[in-house]
Amino acid sequence: MGQGYSNHFKGPWPLLLLCAAIVASFLASSGPVQWMDNGMAIADATVGRYFSETLGASDHPLYQFFSTAVFEQFGIQVLGLLNSILLIPLAGSTYWLARNLGSQRNLALLGATVMVLSHAVFWVSTKAGVYIFHALFVVLAYALYFERRSGLGDIGKLLVIGLFTGLAASTHPLTFVVMLPLYLRLAREQRVFILLTVPAFVVGFLTAYPAMFNDLDSGMSLLQAARHYLTGASPFAPDQSWEGSMLRFDVMWHEKNSVMLLCLSLIGPQLLGLVLVPKDRKLRLVWWTLLFNFVFAVSFNVYERFAFFLPGVIFAAVLGVIQLRELLPNTRLGAWLLGLSALCSPAALLGMWLLYTAGAVPLPVHAEALPMRNDIHYIMVPYLRDRSAEEFAHFYAASAPVGALIVSDWIPMGALRSAQAAGILTDRSLMPCENAQDLSLYLQGPGAFLPRTSYCEGIKARFKLEKLVVGYQLLGK
């Protein structure tokens, strides 16, 4: 780093900026009651089941084990803050990676700050879920590969990289996308010695074995079990596979809102990290990983594309800060611009939020609205705390009498289940819309309630709906 940059970034300021970004995540956390998959992750961790029963693409054995242990030891409030807590080791591993790629101390701290404040990382950190936990192992593996002072030697590094890969793979199958460039490089450099990663991988994959053996005992072949793990395809539930959602470039324009959400994570130096191809061989390996992850995530036809891009965002932040440092003049102004680049994402998104709330710009919202949730607030500006799921749960705790039934689709069900785990909706029964058959006992007794009609068309056809302040009460026709 040149003299102008050194003068500006000397002292504790880069570290303080990183600490402030992490503290902001704690302050913006959505707490122990959350919508959809995030709420389900919290509720599942409170059941006390350490091992997954099946190894599908949506099962995350190591995360389930870890989150269950966190709940057992520290309770649901800490569980709700778990991803904010995990930002600390993730920032540390990102700093380690940047240092091993040649960044000086303060530039590496700036890269970690850009990473924390990027949309995808910050959003996921305020919710419950698997993605930060998974990304931690991926970044550690890459950082170790570039480390030249570890004292492990080539064999030791291969073993530890294999262990990190097994831990990542037992957390999420996205591992095989984001680790591919690293293993291609290792295969060229180490040749047959790359096989040393296999036994270490086997050890790292330990928490997934009970689920895998359950699948094999159920009648799946080894190939079917592998396919079930990678894509969710199962001979017992053929309609639940994600295979038809992968590499769907043909639907990207139709799903442009979801694609734009992913692109929010490229506001700031991250965009330079993606579009500028580095000349340095070390940096180019990280860039290829970033590109692989971007192509996979942007073409994966699910709404939460941005979460699947989280490892790539981390690499984009590190590369982007390095690229920006090279482009800016080595002056005091250049140093200020470099430091302020960390605030690009929150400044842009909070500015857009202010324009939206003032009515100056229209923004697209989800067609299926949720009670008490502002989609723009919830999705686009994670820097502002959203507790809409908790407000929703408290409403039903006050309005649905003890013994009542609440029938719901998947998204509100996450809030309802995590609320029960947090002790808010005790003594109420919960039921998915598709399972709601004979409700006569509830209709004649304490009542049955429906938060929204979306994805519950069968309920609308079978019952009379009496409108409430939030949702409906079900009545017999």
Side-chain angles (χ1 to χ4, degrees):
M1 190 184 289
Q3 186 63 33
Y5 294 106
S6 298
N7 287 339
H8 177 66
F9 284 112
K10 69 179 181 180
W13 295 109
L15 179 59
L16 290 176
L17 184 60
L18 175 58
C19 291
I22 294 174
V23 169
S25 171
F26 280 85
L27 296 176
S29 172
S30 291
V33 182
Q34 300 181 20
W35 299 106
M36 201 177 171
D37 293 351
N38 311 114
M40 292 294 187
I42 290 175
D44 288 345
T46 66
V47 173
R49 187 175 62 248
Y50 279 87
F51 296 99
S52 302
E53 296 177 352
T54 184
L55 188 59
S58 299
D59 298 287
H60 312 293
L62 181 57
Y63 179 78
Q64 180 172 323
F65 184 93
F66 177 66
S67 60
T68 300
V70 168
F71 171 74
E72 294 287 348
Q73 294 297 317
F74 303 106
I76 198 166
Q77 294 298 328
V78 171
L79 184 62
L81 291 169
L82 182 56
N83 276 343
S84 293
I85 296 169
L86 288 173
L87 272 185
I88 299 171
L90 182 63
S93 62
T94 303
Y95 170 82
W96 185 31
L97 172 64
R99 291 285 280 160
N100 290 342
L101 290 173
S103 294
Q104 293 189 12
R105 173 184 175 274
N106 292 318
L107 199 66
L109 287 171
L110 184 65
T113 305
V114 170
M115 177 274 295
V116 170
L117 292 176
S118 62
H119 175 266
V121 175
F122 201 94
W123 191 93
V124 172
S125 76
T126 64
K127 308 293 185 290
V130 68
Y131 298 102
I132 284 184
F133 189 62
H134 171 257
L136 177 60
F137 298 118
V138 174
V139 176
L140 284 171
Y142 275 86
L144 179 61
Y145 168 75
F146 292 114
E147 177 62 67
R148 292 295 175 259
R149 298 165 297 176
S150 66
L152 290 173
D154 289 344
I155 291 178
K157 286 175 66 172
L158 285 172
L159 290 173
V160 179
I161 287 172
L163 178 65
F164 285 147
T165 307
L167 293 170
S170 62
T171 304
H172 203 291
L174 180 63
T175 301
F176 296 100
V177 174
V178 294
M179 295 298 284
L180 179 60
L182 175 59
Y183 273 79
L184 290 175
R185 174 74 65 87
L186 286 172
R188 188 169 61 186
E189 292 177 349
Q190 302 296 335
R191 300 185 183 277
V192 71
F193 289 104
I194 194 177
L195 295 176
L196 291 172
T197 61
V198 176
F201 177 95
V202 169
V203 174
F205 205 63
L206 183 65
T207 55
Y209 294 138
M212 184 178 72
F213 293 143
N214 285 342
D215 284 347
L216 295 174
D217 287 343
S218 71
M220 288 189 194
S221 67
L222 192 60
L223 182 61
Q224 288 174 327
R227 185 182 173 196
H228 184 221
Y229 162 67
L230 292 172
T231 70
S234 168
F236 311 117
D239 58 336
Q240 295 181 9
S241 171
W242 294 106
E243 291 175 353
S245 300
M246 296 179 182
L247 301 178
R248 293 298 305 272
F249 299 99
D250 57 313
V251 299
M252 284 175 57
W253 177 251
H254 182 267
E255 300 296 332
K256 54 186 175 295
N257 290 346
S258 175
V259 173
M260 287 305 299
L261 282 178
L262 180 147
C263 292
L264 294 182
S265 295
L266 296 173
I267 297 175
Q270 306 93 294
L271 182 60
L272 295 177
L274 176 63
V275 301
L276 298 181
V277 183
K279 297 178 181 179
D280 182 86
R281 185 171 179 268
K282 292 193 297 184
L283 300 182
R284 200 157 55 244
L285 172 61
V286 178
W287 181 82
W288 275 112
T289 306
L290 162 61
L291 184 64
F292 271 45
N293 193 189
F294 176 77
V295 171
F296 176 82
V298 80
S299 64
F300 191 26
N301 190 30
V302 295
Y303 186 73
E304 63 272 27
R305 283 172 166 88
F306 66 90
F308 286 86
F309 186 43
L310 197 141
V313 174
I314 298 169
F315 294 138
V318 171
L319 293 178
V321 169
I322 293 173
Q323 297 280 20
L324 183 60
R325 164 65 183 87
E326 296 299 319
L327 292 174
L328 289 173
N330 192 13
T331 63
R332 186 171 297 277
L333 175 60
W336 273 99
L337 292 175
L338 183 64
L340 291 173
S341 69
L343 304 177
C344 283
S345 183
L349 296 179
L350 289 170
M352 185 60 68
W353 165 252
L354 290 175
L355 292 174
Y356 170 77
T357 55
V361 294
L363 292 173
V365 296
H366 201 286
E368 307 292 343
L370 280 167
M372 298 184 174
R373 192 179 92 177
N374 181 302
D375 280 344
I376 303 301
H377 179 187
Y378 178 76
I379 293 289
M380 196 184 78
V381 280
Y383 316 102
L384 302 177
R385 188 173 73 168
D386 180 276
R387 291 291 178 98
S388 56
E390 188 174 333
E391 294 172 12
F392 167 75
H394 278 297
F395 170 83
Y396 273 98
S399 59
V402 171
L405 172 70
I406 305 174
V407 182
S408 172
D409 66 276
W410 176 260
I411 299 178
M413 186 61 75
L416 296 169
R417 280 198 58 202
S418 56
Q420 280 197 336
I424 295 176
L425 272 172
T426 56
D427 299 320
R428 277 79 168 181
S429 298
L430 307 178
M431 186 180 295
C433 289
E434 60 270 20
N435 294 345
Q437 300 300 325
D438 184 9
L439 307 184
S440 56
L441 290 177
Y442 294 100
L443 298 180
Q444 298 166 10
F449 298 84
L450 180 71
R452 65 173 186 171
T453 57
S454 304
Y455 310 110
C456 293
E457 287 76 11
I459 299 294
K460 291 167 57 178
R462 292 167 48 210
F463 299 96
K464 179 181 178 182
L465 306 183
E466 181 178 310
K467 188 74 176 74
L468 304 175
V469 175
V470 175
Y472 308 85
Q473 183 169 358
L474 303 182
L475 302 173
K477 284 192 172 181

